[in-house]
Amino acid sequence: MSVLILLIIVSICIAGGFLIAFLWGSGDGQFDDVYSPARRILFDDEYESNQNPNE
């Protein structure tokens, strides 16, 4: 029975850590723009060719 209590406490600590990381990330603006990174990976070659117009 004591193992069960220990596992519950450990799982609550891990869940709290993930919650803190999520709140820190959302407060830092990590999830503000979810559209551009998905599009940027599709047009990566076009972006490189615009930087070197002589090639």
Side-chain angles (χ1 to χ4, degrees), residues 32-53:
D32 286 347
D33 186 17
V34 294
Y35 184 71
S36 294
R39 290 290 184 166
R40 193 177 329 138
I41 198 168
L42 294 174
F43 301 110
D44 194 34
D45 293 333
E46 182 178 320
Y47 177 71
E48 288 179 4
S49 65
N50 287 341
Q51 286 188 346
N52 298 327

Side-chain angles (χ1 to χ4, degrees), residues 1-11:
M1 187 69 180
S2 62
V3 173
L4 185 62
I5 293 172
L6 178 67
L7 287 176
I8 290 172
I9 292 171
V10 168
S11 65

Side-chain angles (χ1 to χ4, degrees), residues 14-31:
I14 291 172
F18 279 111
L19 178 66
I20 290 171
F22 174 73
L23 292 176
W24 183 23
S26 66
D28 231 14
Q30 291 288 320
F31 307 111

